[in-house]
């Protein structure tokens, strides 16, 4: 009896339509063929066969990349969209910053200690009060 491996994660299994390619791959490869083959036929007489082939490959390559490339289950246009949004459209600094509870408690404790020092200084009888007497000009009083 032949052994056939069955993947455990069936979410990554894609339905093949024709030529062992998915519908997305067929559409992208067809778009590449619609752009590349007429370009080759129309330019091989004017720029030469080798240059026309290189131009055709250069024009078809993005279509092939969009059809084949996937990262973390996302196609290339979504990956590029996330990259462009994160790199260029959204601000690089994060406006939200967490307030550490322990740091806030420590700041409050420092404020309380400082306030207690001021209260103790105000209660001591030997110290002069914070407000000074107004000085009178010489000869006036």
């Amino acid at each position: 009896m032949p052994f056939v491996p069955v993947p455990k994660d069936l979410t990554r299994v894609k339905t093949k339509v024709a030529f062992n390619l998915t519908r997305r791959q067929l559409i992208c490869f067809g778009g590449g063929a619609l752009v590349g083959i007429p370009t080759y036929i129309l330019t091989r007489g004017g720029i030469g066969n080798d240059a026309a082939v290189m131009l055709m490959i250069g024009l078809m390559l993005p279509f092939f990349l969009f059809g084949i490339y996937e990262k973390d289950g996302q196609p290339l246009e979504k990956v590029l969209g996330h990259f462009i949004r994160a790199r260029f459209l959204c601000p690089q600094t994060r406006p939200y910053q967490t307030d550490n509870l322990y740091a806030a408690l420590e700041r409050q404790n420092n404020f309380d200690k400082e306030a207690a020092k001021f209260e103790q200084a105000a209660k001591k009888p030997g110290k002069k009060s914070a407000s000074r007497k107004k000085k009178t000009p010489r000869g006036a009083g």
Side-chain angles (χ1 to χ4, degrees):
M1 179 178 255
F3 176 74
V4 178
V6 178
K8 292 182 180 180
D9 185 14
L10 296 178
T11 59
R12 292 185 177 235
V13 175
K14 302 213 180 340
T15 306
K16 308 294 183 181
V17 177
F19 307 114
N20 204 20
L21 297 172
T22 63
R23 182 173 18 132
R24 174 185 178 77
Q25 290 171 341
L26 285 174
I27 291 170
C28 289
F29 292 171
L34 285 175
V35 170
I37 292 173
T39 301
Y40 170 72
I41 292 171
L42 294 174
T43 58
R44 70 178 173 179
I47 62 173
N49 200 24
D50 292 339
V53 167
M54 296 305 282
L55 180 64
M56 178 184 73
I57 290 172
L59 290 175
M60 293 173 76
L61 190 61
F63 289 95
F64 290 151
L65 285 175
F66 278 100
I68 292 176
Y69 184 81
E70 276 189 5
K71 182 176 182 180
D72 298 328
Q74 294 182 344
L76 183 60
E77 64 267 12
K78 286 195 177 186
V79 173
L80 287 176
H82 293 313
F83 176 77
I84 290 169
R85 187 179 321 122
R87 190 74 171 158
F88 302 111
L89 300 179
C90 295
Q92 295 293 321
T93 58
R94 295 183 181 186
Y96 176 75
Q97 294 179 351
T98 59
D99 189 19
N100 186 353
L101 177 64
Y102 298 109
L105 291 173
E106 188 174 336
R107 284 194 307 267
Q108 184 63 40
N109 189 21
N110 290 339
F111 292 145
D112 291 342
K113 285 181 182 177
E114 192 173 338
K117 286 180 186 177
F118 285 126
E119 287 176 5
Q120 288 176 358
K123 288 181 182 178
K124 286 186 180 178
K127 293 269 186 173
K128 292 183 179 178
S129 63
S131 63
R132 293 184 178 177
K133 293 183 180 179
K134 198 173 190 183
K135 289 185 179 180
T136 56
R138 288 188 184 179

